[in-house]
Amino acid sequence: MSAVTAQRARTGIPSYLRMVPKRRAGLTAWQWSLVFLVLVCAAIEILARSGVVSHATLVPFTQMVYEAGVLLITPGFYASALFPSLFAIVVAFVVASVLGVILGYVIWRLPAVRRALDAYLTAYYALPVFALYPVLIAIWGQGTAPIATLAVIFAIVTVIMNAMNGFDGVPSIVDKLARSLDVSETVYFLRFFLPYALPSILVGLRLAFLYSLLSVLSAEFLLSTQGIGFFISTSYLRFQIGPMYGAVIIVVVIAVGVDRLLALLTRRVSWAGGTA
Amino acid sequence: MLLIVPVVVIAVWWVAALVANTSVITTPPAAVAQVIRMFGTRQYLNDLGATAQTVLVAFAFSVVLGAIVGFALGIAPFWMRAVGPILNGLYSIPKVTIFPLFMVFLGLGIVSRESFAFAHGFFPIAILIMGATVNVRTTDIYLKLAASLEMRPIQLVRIVLLPAVLPTFFTATRLGFGLTFLGTITAEMFASNGGIGYELVRAMESVHVDQIFAQVVLIGIYALIPNALLRWLEVWLTNRRGGSLA
Amino acid sequence: MTSGTPRVVVEGLGKRYGASRVLDNVAFTIAPGEFVSLVGPSGCGKSTVLEMIGGLREYEEGAIVVDDAPVVGPRASTGIIFQEASTLPWRSTLDNVALALEMRGVGKADRRAAAQRALDAVGLGAFADHRPAQLSGGMRQRVALARVLTIEPRVILADEPFGALDEQTRLIVALELLAAVDRTSASVLFVTHSIQEAALLSDRVLIMGARPGKIIDEVVIDLPKPRGPELIGSAELSGYADRIWAPLREEALRALAMQERRSE
């Protein structure tokens, strides 16, 4: 062996091997999350009220919440902004989800097709699919149809990819079990196959919701006459930043809320521990 | 094999164009002709340059900051549990909704667009790298091995954590490019007076169908080429290190 | 074979987990150059004891002394072979073996030469440039052994290193480990749940019971060294295996009775 190295005075178990503490400075991780959120809201409040950031730019957090409340009790907001957007988002989400799972299954069953499509599916989200929006308007004119269609086109690929991922993970024993019980194709798919793939499918659905939301709002922002995106855009252009922030808060709550819900659902459904 | 999809897409497109009105859908040859015409103009080349600059700056920042933040949180599982959900929450907010905020705070210039595009790339990169890092960081066998060899924490990072996370870093980088590109185009479409996105919006508003299709095709190509390049880079680096990176 | 002061001393080692006692007054010694096995049912705490001796786990009750110094953390002179493959997938086999010396600051050429010698000693010299993923499970554990050998350890701790191998392979590979280790002067603590393995390799077998974990018996294996494959299935080995099994059978029956009582 080479030269004797000085005996490094190293005692104790290394820090990285020790158990992760449940608390830091007396607070749990979850409580720290709340602390950070509260600090940000407080910062917004103080910066806005003190005038450090101009009133034309930032509005106190409490006022943002108030504006959101005002909008939520204004029937006009529901009719011209909230419902059109939600309708488009929900329709697109449902269509993308159902069609995506079915298409995913079809492609998964045809390995040759899957191989041909694979490189493009993974590169799909580099494409600004959004750019097709004008084409869709040219075909359908203004309204919900082009917006929802665009959202479906945008969201469906992640459903397909994650569904195929889920189908990959179904152990072959399931097929053997079903065959030994002699079940029909539909029953097999719904009762045996799908539950195994469900966690991955839900991951895809969660992303599909986010992409539908993103797509719809972007389209409304750009070339529309209704919807929340349109509302935010016009509020900005009319220097009505109070209502603008209010609408932003509503969108944030919807986005984060539904996302968290789907995340929880995914965890509840991840019963297959290791294989899923 | 790889070309089947583009061929099919072009075929479907061509048929659709012939079936529908050509004032609604251009035929592929007409689109190509328009592309050639566009590249001949100084205006388009300027736009291309402006977009490229925005994308590259936003991309660089989102990769560097995303990797640093993601890695730092992944090493400290406690803070990952504290900050992770906030990152996830911010990621789930469609940046488009807060686009006016970017304009309000940062104006209408290139910095505003770069920041917007940066926001698109930063969160997914940070989240992906954070996830991969925490996975290695909590793999008992590596930690026990390191401890038994008296590895200092800094050595654990260099010898175990960084190499283990490298493959995810590459995946995140490719994803990040696509997203910052998307963010840039979006920003240019909404509020700009230059760049490819702006050109697209102008074509949309004047319903210049040839232009629209030409732009869309080009944007698609711009998105795919760097993706392929980054993939080749990854493969080349992998082979240089002699085999799998993972 | 044994001489002078023991190299490893464990005294009154205990551990609680909440209200229940996991380890109770575990005590034994290992002489220089001695090969001691620790057998017991799953969950009896034998891996915990090994990790405590290796300085990877804290202990509040009792004392562990290696080479006259109390164990407070991992030690350069103690090599550990873990249950799972501890090879880093992104490094070549050679660089995996060289890792231990790399942590000591040994230069690249020197440590690679030492690593090659260690790989030769365990019969994997030709695989130096392979990736761990290209090796079988048994081969990866031999790589882990080679890594331990490069540091010329005073104590080797092996935690069920052959758990993932099938019966025939594991006994053959186990004999190879014994041969490699015998060429050094290291003391070995070998944790296993295979009674055959323990009897085949060791000078002494410590038998551990569960809930709480404690040493319930000890069997000295008086078979001639070097041990060879001809011993497998032999009458002498079976005799020792029976003697090790007897107290374990009592333990197993007792544990079963306790479980049945609890589920009533």
Side-chain angles (χ1 to χ4, degrees), chain C residues 36-240:
Chain C
V36 173
S37 283
L38 188 56
V39 295
S42 297
C44 67
K46 43 193 200 295
S47 291
T48 308
V49 170
L50 183 141
E51 285 183 5
M52 286 173 169
I53 299 175
L56 297 180
R57 245 199 244 228
E58 289 185 319
Y59 53 98
E60 282 102 34
E61 303 172 27
I64 304 178
V65 177
V66 172
D67 273 334
D68 296 322
V71 170
V72 292
R75 212 180 271 209
S77 54
T78 300
I80 309 182
I81 304 174
F82 296 96
Q83 230 167 341
E84 325 166 46
S86 58
T87 46
L88 302 178
W90 49 85
R91 285 185 165 221
S92 68
T93 301
L94 189 70
D95 281 329
N96 260 292
V97 176
L99 184 62
L101 293 177
E102 190 179 333
M103 291 299 97
R104 299 238 183 128
V106 174
K108 195 178 243 187
D110 287 332
R111 64 175 189 251
R112 281 192 165 168
Q116 184 67 52
R117 286 196 298 274
L119 276 175
D120 293 332
V122 298
L124 291 177
F127 294 89
D129 288 322
H130 284 59
R131 300 259 147 192
Q134 299 168 290
L135 305 178
S136 73
M139 290 160 89
R140 282 199 286 268
Q141 288 298 59
R142 281 194 279 167
V143 171
L145 171 63
R147 183 198 285 144
V148 163
L149 292 176
T150 58
I151 59 171
E152 292 171 19
R154 311 258 304 158
V155 174
I156 296 179
L157 305 172
D159 190 356
E160 299 200 53
F162 309 125
L165 305 180
D166 61 84
E167 188 69 27
Q168 292 82 282
T169 320
R170 79 190 281 169
L171 290 177
I172 302 295
V173 180
L175 284 172
E176 285 182 18
L177 175 146
L178 181 63
V181 159
D182 267 348
R183 273 177 249 135
T184 70
S185 55
S187 301
V188 180
L189 180 66
F190 189 88
V191 165
T192 180
H193 59 253
S194 161
I195 299 174
Q196 272 237 35
E197 205 169 64
L200 184 63
L201 303 178
S202 332
D203 298 315
R204 239 187 333 138
V205 176
L206 299 169
I207 303 167
M208 212 167 148
R211 276 179 280 269
K214 58 144 86 85
I215 310 285
I216 57 176
D217 208 343
E218 183 181 302
V219 175
V220 175
I221 311 283
D222 208 357
L223 294 170
K225 289 248 178 123
R227 309 264 172 94
E230 68 282 353
L231 279 170
I232 302 176
S234 70
E236 301 102 316
L237 196 69
S238 302
Y240 279 115

Side-chain angles (χ1 to χ4, degrees), chain B residues 206-222:
Chain B
S206 60
V207 200
H208 189 171
V209 183
D210 285 353
Q211 271 271 14
I212 294 176
F213 270 90
Q215 305 264 10
V216 170
V217 166
L218 278 175
I219 291 176
I221 296 174
Y222 297 152

Side-chain angles (χ1 to χ4, degrees), chain B residues 60-88:
Chain B
F61 271 95
S62 64
V63 166
V64 171
L65 286 179
I68 291 176
V69 169
F71 193 72
L73 286 176
I75 299 185
F78 180 83
W79 294 114
M80 192 209 85
R81 285 205 301 265
V83 178
I86 298 180
L87 278 182
N88 272 302

Side-chain angles (χ1 to χ4, degrees), chain B residues 45-158:
Chain B
L45 294 174
N46 283 343
D47 289 327
L48 197 55
T51 303
Q53 182 188 343
T54 313
V55 171
L56 288 173
V57 169
F59 175 61
F61 271 95
S62 64
V63 166
V64 171
L65 286 179
I68 291 176
V69 169
F71 193 72
L73 286 176
I75 299 185
F78 180 83
W79 294 114
M80 192 209 85
R81 285 205 301 265
V83 178
I86 298 180
L87 278 182
N88 272 302
L90 288 172
Y91 175 58
S92 63
I93 301 174
K95 311 297 172 303
V96 162
T97 335
I98 54 174
F99 181 67
L101 295 185
F102 281 88
M103 293 194 288
V104 157
F105 283 98
L106 296 167
L108 294 167
I110 197 166
V111 172
S112 166
R113 291 194 294 278
E114 283 166 355
S115 308
F116 186 67
F118 164 79
H120 275 78
F122 171 78
F123 290 105
I125 291 178
I127 291 172
L128 269 177
I129 292 183
M130 182 179 76
T133 307
V134 84
N135 267 337
V136 197
R137 171 70 177 82
T138 48
T139 304
D140 274 348
I141 183 67
Y142 288 155
L143 300 177
K144 287 186 194 169
L145 172 69
S148 73
L149 296 178
E150 294 185 295
M151 257 194 226
R152 291 189 296 266
I154 191 79
Q155 290 172 311
L156 180 75
V157 168
R158 184 172 63 85

Side-chain angles (χ1 to χ4, degrees), chain A residues 185-201:
Chain A
E185 189 75 41
T186 341
V187 171
Y188 172 67
F189 182 72
L190 287 174
R191 297 287 195 88
F192 287 77
F193 197 70
L194 213 51
Y196 266 98
L198 211 48
S200 280
I201 293 179

